[in-house]
Amino acid sequence: MTEEESGMATGRSTPIGVLIADDQDLVRLGLRALVESEADLRVVGEAADGLGALAVARRERPDVVLMDVRMPGIDGIEATRRIVADPELAGTRVVVLTTFELDSYVFEALRHGASGFLTKDTKPVELLRAIRLVASGEALLSPSVTRRVVREFATRPSRVLRPHPRLDTLTERERQVLGLVGEGLSNDEIGSRLLVSPATARTHVSRAMVKLGARDRAQLVVYAYQSGLVEP
C-alpha cells in the first residue's frame, strides 16, 4: 500500500500513532517491525508494564494502544481503565492483546473501556486492519466473537446486574436494539430481525451510543450485558 493509498483508506492526513505495551521484548520488537512497515502507521512509544504504558500514553497521546494483559506492576486491565478515564486521552483507543480468545480478562477489559481485543496469533494483515479500524472509531468485535464472549460471561454464577443509569432515556426500540447488539448481531442482522433497513438499525445504534455515552459498539455490548438485556 502506497502512502497516498494508505491516507485514502484511513481518511487521515497524518499517520496513526500506535503505542505497544507488552512485557516481552521479542513481542514488542515484532509488533514494532510490523507497524512501521506501513506508511500510514507509526510507533510513538513502547512500554514493558502497565504504569509505563500509562506514562507513555499521557506523553505521546497515541491513537491506538496495543495492550498486553499480564504485565508487572499494574496489569493491562488497570492500565486500560486509567487511560480510558483520563479526559486528556479521549482520542486514544485501547486494543487488548490476549493469549486465548476467551481469556478470563477479556470481558473486564471491555468493561473498562477497551475497544476490542486480539489474540496474539492474529495474522499480521488482520492486526494492521484492526489498528486502522479502531483508529477510525469502530469497535473491534465481530458479531461471532461478541456472541462467544457474552455467552461465556453471561453464564457466570457471580453475574451481577448493574443497569446503566441512563437506560431509561432509551426508547423501547432503542432498548430492543441495544439487546440485539449485546447478542452480537450486526446492523444487517438487527435490521432483518426488526424488519427495518440496516441504515435504520445503524441510526438506532448510534442514538443508543450517544444517550448512554458509549465510546463504541464494544461498550454497548457491556452495557447490554450489565443491564440484563442479554439472556444467557
Side-chain angles (χ1 to χ4, degrees):
M1 180 181 290
T2 66
E3 188 169 357
E4 182 179 357
E5 290 171 336
S6 299
M8 291 176 64
T10 59
R12 300 169 60 102
S13 59
T14 58
I16 296 169
V18 180
L19 166 59
I20 300 168
D22 195 290
D23 63 343
Q24 297 184 38
D25 295 346
L26 192 58
V27 172
R28 293 200 310 276
L29 180 63
L31 289 173
R32 173 180 279 276
L34 178 63
V35 170
E36 293 189 337
S37 70
E38 300 293 299
D40 64 324
L41 308 178
R42 68 186 180 97
V43 175
V44 298
E46 296 182 15
D49 56 60
L51 285 175
L54 183 61
V56 177
R58 286 172 171 165
R59 184 177 70 243
E60 301 295 339
R61 310 287 178 85
D63 298 297
V64 177
V65 180
L66 298 179
M67 182 78 77
D68 187 23
V69 173
R70 298 178 178 89
M71 293 186 291
I74 66 170
D75 63 18
I77 306 301
E78 177 60 18
T80 295
R81 186 191 70 78
R82 296 188 191 187
I83 287 172
V84 172
D86 190 333
E88 295 188 358
L89 295 175
T92 297
R93 297 291 182 265
V94 178
V95 174
V96 170
L97 299 175
T98 67
T99 304
F100 303 105
E101 194 170 78
L102 286 180
D103 188 298
S104 61
Y105 292 101
V106 167
F107 192 80
E108 287 303 304
L110 298 178
R111 187 170 71 85
H112 286 302
S115 292
F117 66 94
L118 293 171
T119 56
K120 288 189 175 180
D121 61 356
T122 296
K123 294 180 179 180
V125 66
E126 288 301 314
L127 187 145
L128 294 171
R129 187 188 74 84
I131 292 172
R132 295 182 178 107
L133 184 70
V134 171
S136 71
E138 296 295 322
L140 189 61
L141 281 179
S142 70
S144 62
V145 170
T146 304
R147 276 189 280 265
R148 289 199 297 274
V149 171
V150 169
R151 185 164 56 247
E152 167 76 10
F153 290 92
T155 55
R156 287 186 169 185
S158 59
R159 181 188 186 194
V160 177
L161 296 182
R162 298 186 183 88
H164 192 286
R166 295 201 294 275
L167 188 65
D168 290 343
T169 66
L170 300 185
T171 65
E172 185 59 35
R173 178 47 61 92
E174 288 164 354
R175 286 172 65 100
Q176 192 176 15
V177 167
L178 177 61
L180 296 177
V181 170
E183 289 180 22
L185 272 62
S186 67
N187 289 335
D188 286 349
E189 291 170 327
I190 292 172
S192 296
R193 180 79 65 88
L194 300 180
L195 302 179
V196 299
S197 70
T200 298
R202 187 180 305 111
T203 297
H204 288 310
V205 171
S206 297
R207 287 176 178 167
M209 287 179 64
V210 171
K211 289 182 178 181
L212 300 181
R215 287 163 63 97
D216 51 36
R217 200 179 186 100
Q219 279 202 305
L220 282 186
V221 171
V222 175
Y223 294 158
Y225 161 84
Q226 292 183 322
S227 298
L229 300 180
V230 180
E231 293 300 323

